[in-house]
Amino acid sequence: MASKPGILTEWPWTWLGNFKYVVLAPYVTHSLNSFFMSEDESKRDMTYLIIFPFLFFRMLHNQIWISVSRYRTAKGDNRIVDKSIEFDQVDRERNWDDQIILNGLLFYYGYTKLEQSHHMPIWRTDGIIMTALLQTGPVEFLYYWLHRALHHHFLYSRYHSHHHSSIVTEPITSVIHPFAEHIAYFLLFAIPLLTTVLTGTASIVSFGGYITYIDFMNNMGHCNFEIIPKWMFSSFPPLKYLMYTPSLGFASFASEPYTSKWYFWLMWPVTLWSMMITWIYGHTFTVERNVFKSLNLQTWAIPKYRIQYFMQWQRETINNFIEEAIMEADRKGIKVLSLGLLNQEEQLNNNGELYIRRHPQLKVKVVDGSSLAVAVVLNSIPKGTTQVVLGGHLSKVANAIALALCQGGVKVVTLREEEYKKLKSSLTPEVAINLVPSKTYASKIWLVGDGLSEDEQLKAPKGTLFIPFSQFPPRKARKDCLYFHTPAMITPKHFENVDSCENWLPRRVMSAWRVAGILHALKGWNEHECGNMIFDIEKVWKASLDHGFSPLTMASASESKA
């Protein structure tokens, strides 16, 4: 919003939410009916029919710019403002397509009111020349003074400040304006279009080409990186008078990363295609760059989908990707490399120990972050708890949690006999007395991991709090119980450019495994944390709090989603 929102700030169809496109339905229906159902050939007008497909083309054009820009911004090459896009900006820019809807309505209305717009030819040279001259002459002149007026404190505070709230610009920032401001822009840029219509020189190419040119220049001019190389301006100086420059992501989805939509399943063909491409040719790539105090951080992604991690024949390829990333980090002098959630599976590489064995001279420290995950779970258990139920497949984290609780005098009840035997064999007799197998489930605190079945969840008492120690959240089978988040912490406000967290966590909430690597770098801990090794749990927990990371509670999780 602008600092002092003026009249006609909101778009008229805002209240329709995701159903806003229905405002175009009457016109689209009428254009289809008049073209395909009319027996009178004179009423079959291609100009009227292609308005809606052209609107769709504009959306696709903008989406390509958005995706390329998000990729380049994440990669960090030639960024003008060395930051990434924060969630509040993504929220503010979600309605970038409103101006396309507005243009569509006005195009349809203009067509019905202006007989001269009917049956446009595909091409007219005189109309194209006239459009170009009007744009470079009066339109640019008037736009300059309109823009200056919008920067006057009265109009700026009521309208244009909304646009300038986006510090790290991206292509669609160019069209993020209040409704009234877009009306002014439309009236201005309609001058060449109306002139050619009224003079009978308009054509489909002049209309489509002019609007596409405006979109192209707007998108290019608001990227957070330079597209046009300097040598082009040096070789041809007049180019600066013809264009201005700024010197994979969907806005609506990026705004709500923790939600899922049913129509995501429609992306399966694209997913399958990308899976095949990355299988043949793929390499790690940067998805995020952060700044935390004196640290420069990067998040690298392995070009594999989750399902591929469970394919036996894909494990060697994935391990090779991870190993190559570790060796590249070592060559670049990187101090710490954290293993992502799926990249540290015991079956895959024994929590990263595989790479240490292969390369004992590594200078970069490999961290799986298990110690902080254990600390987060232990500190999520309500104070005064004397008994917990431990369910799901055992893991490095589960073993460490059970040991810490038993040492602290808390009874740990296992759901399965085989898990009880495995845990007991790793505990001393003095500690093992607090580990008990049971077929009764009176405790309302359940610590759960992967493999927790629905039947086991149904055995929990009403009101049970499920606290996951797994990397991924359990499937919720109970509506009368509470499910806490997987081990994670809220990042400090001074942690810059946090815009890609796990999609099941709230905004600016980061998994404990990821936070642990940051702490290792901040504290200069010169040792690996992988394999069966668990770092000092109390030490790493205290370090997380000292550096501004906050425990995630039920209340704070709700606030983060707001």
Side-chain angles (χ1 to χ4, degrees), residues 260-310:
S260 181
K261 306 291 184 183
W262 63 267
Y263 47 80
F264 283 7
W265 287 100
L266 300 177
M267 294 295 290
W268 260 108
V270 177
T271 302
L272 184 61
W273 172 82
S274 65
M275 188 182 294
M276 296 299 295
I277 293 296
T278 56
W279 178 52
I280 299 170
Y281 172 78
H283 56 84
T284 56
F285 57 94
T286 305
V287 295
E288 185 174 281
R289 291 154 55 93
N290 309 108
V291 177
F292 187 81
K293 296 185 178 179
S294 59
L295 291 182
N296 290 318
L297 312 171
Q298 291 186 10
T299 302
W300 298 351
I302 301 291
K304 296 293 179 183
Y305 290 91
R306 181 179 179 182
I307 190 173
Q308 291 174 283
Y309 279 81
F310 299 100

Side-chain angles (χ1 to χ4, degrees), residues 192-327:
L193 303 178
L194 279 173
T195 303
T196 55
V197 167
L198 295 176
T199 57
T201 59
S203 67
I204 292 175
V205 170
S206 67
F207 258 67
Y210 177 63
I211 297 166
T212 302
Y213 165 79
I214 297 298
D215 286 344
F216 182 90
M217 299 305 296
N218 270 335
N219 284 322
M220 182 174 66
H222 286 80
C223 289
N224 190 30
F225 54 89
E226 189 62 79
I227 292 179
I228 306 300
K230 291 182 180 179
W231 64 264
M232 290 186 64
F233 290 100
S234 301
S235 303
F236 186 61
L239 187 64
K240 65 183 179 182
Y241 299 108
L242 301 178
M243 64 171 60
Y244 70 96
T245 61
S247 253
L248 170 212
F250 290 84
S252 58
F253 300 159
S255 179
E256 298 179 344
Y258 46 84
T259 60
S260 181
K261 306 291 184 183
W262 63 267
Y263 47 80
F264 283 7
W265 287 100
L266 300 177
M267 294 295 290
W268 260 108
V270 177
T271 302
L272 184 61
W273 172 82
S274 65
M275 188 182 294
M276 296 299 295
I277 293 296
T278 56
W279 178 52
I280 299 170
Y281 172 78
H283 56 84
T284 56
F285 57 94
T286 305
V287 295
E288 185 174 281
R289 291 154 55 93
N290 309 108
V291 177
F292 187 81
K293 296 185 178 179
S294 59
L295 291 182
N296 290 318
L297 312 171
Q298 291 186 10
T299 302
W300 298 351
I302 301 291
K304 296 293 179 183
Y305 290 91
R306 181 179 179 182
I307 190 173
Q308 291 174 283
Y309 279 81
F310 299 100
M311 298 175 180
Q312 183 71 35
W313 59 279
Q314 281 282 289
R315 288 181 179 176
E316 184 178 353
T317 302
I318 294 171
N319 272 326
N320 288 338
F321 275 127
I322 301 170
E323 188 170 4
E324 288 170 8
I326 292 173
M327 299 311 296

Side-chain angles (χ1 to χ4, degrees), residues 21-31 48 105:
Y21 292 98
V22 299
V23 300
L24 291 169
Y27 296 100
V28 175
T29 303
H30 185 259
S31 68
Y48 193 33
L105 290 173

